[in-house]
Amino acid sequence: MPSTGGPPVPYLPPADVAEARRVQEELRSRVDLVGPGPAAPATVAGLDVAYAQDRDLLAAAVTVLDATTLDVVDEAVCVGRPAFPYVPGLFAFREMPALLAALDRLTTRPELLVCDGHGLAHPRRFGLACHLGLVTGLPTIGVGKTPLVGSWTGPGPERGDSADLCDEGEVVGRVLRTQDGVRPVFVSVGHRMGLDEAVERVLALTPRYRLPETTRTADRLCRRALADAGASGGDLGGR
DNA sequence: GCGACAG
DNA sequence: ATCTTGTCGC
């Protein structure tokens, strides 16, 4: 029986920065960094958030893709207010409430979540992808566009070339070239997934562009939702 | 003490 | 994240 990492973890909004760090320290041991995840997932979801700083608004989007065709088969958004200030390393507390609300609005249950941000590659080894994995119980992967922690050498210039991302003497992720000659992305395990497996999934999601199709579709959706929220009066909701 | 710092 | 023109290259 594949483990889901124990009993469900509720999402609890922290009162301040110190409490947020304590929550991460407490939950980090419950992450499953090995997996394996689904051998051949039928669906993969992408999550992303867009901000309108000046209006104190945010839109969280989830798109569910057919893992083979990469067509969008389901999607949901949630427009709301940032739930926490932006503090590097505590990023999850800002976006999670809206992301969870969007996930709740899906009509299907994706088999894998690809997050816009890191998982294990985090100062306390508990980035957004890990937290989202524990709370949803789903396998998750973190894909960051820029590093938060760690150092590396390489990777080679071609699609598929990669190098270990190391921090404090441990491998916390993989720096992966998803297209020939483009800047690499930073892949790390979120939950219920091994690193090699995560890298394979990301490559399967990047047949053409630097970023996974999941991230690209979710990005377009949350931007559109934010624009609509401004055009249609400004009331929240998500439909 | 000084800088760095996912989105 | 977001604010933004032009520019290099396929």
Side-chain angles (χ1 to χ4, degrees):
Chain A
M1 276 298 163
S3 165
T4 57
V9 172
Y11 178 73
L12 304 169
D16 53 47
V17 164
E19 187 185 339
R21 294 203 174 104
R22 279 198 302 274
V23 169
Q24 293 181 328
E25 296 286 6
E26 276 179 36
L27 293 180
R28 56 185 289 183
S29 65
R30 300 178 61 171
V31 171
D32 172 0
L33 307 171
V34 178
T43 56
V44 185
L47 300 89
D48 194 23
V49 175
Y51 295 87
Q53 224 166 22
D54 54 337
R55 289 181 294 159
D56 191 37
L57 269 189
L58 122 194
V62 187
T63 52
V64 182
L65 278 57
D66 179 304
T68 303
T69 64
L70 303 185
D71 289 332
V72 176
V73 297
D74 194 9
E75 56 179 39
V77 296
C78 171
V79 176
R81 311 277 179 202
F84 204 78
Y86 172 67
V87 180
L90 301 180
F91 173 54
F93 299 99
R94 184 169 174 78
E95 302 194 338
M96 285 230 344
L99 286 171
L100 291 171
L103 282 165
D104 276 341
R105 292 175 180 176
L106 291 177
T107 59
T108 58
R109 182 159 176 88
E111 294 177 27
L112 173 64
L113 264 31
V114 177
C115 308
D116 191 29
H118 300 99
L120 231 214
H122 175 277
R124 286 167 295 280
R125 306 292 180 262
F126 195 74
L128 171 68
C130 299
H131 207 155
L132 216 35
L134 277 190
V135 173
T136 61
L138 292 168
T140 60
I141 297 173
V143 180
K145 295 183 280 292
T146 61
L148 174 59
V149 296
S151 57
W152 67 95
T153 306
E158 294 178 8
R159 165 173 162 85
D161 289 343
S162 71
D164 284 340
L165 177 62
C166 303
D167 185 47
E168 310 270 305
E170 38 187 335
V171 175
V172 297
R174 188 83 43 82
V175 184
L176 176 68
R177 194 91 58 189
T178 55
Q179 299 296 328
D180 292 357
V182 304
R183 276 184 305 150
V185 299
F186 300 80
V187 179
S188 59
V189 167
H191 184 48
R192 297 181 58 192
M193 174 74 43
L195 183 54
D196 288 332
E197 202 180 357
V199 167
E200 284 315 303
R201 296 279 167 254
V202 171
L203 282 174
L205 291 167
T206 50
R208 167 107 209 253
Y209 298 102
R210 174 182 179 240
L211 297 179
E213 286 303 314
T214 39
T215 301
R216 291 167 46 80
T217 53
D219 179 75
R220 289 192 295 253
L221 179 56
C222 61
R223 290 188 195 225
R224 194 187 319 142
L226 206 51
D228 292 351
S232 61
D235 44 47
L236 306 188
R239 325 189 173 184

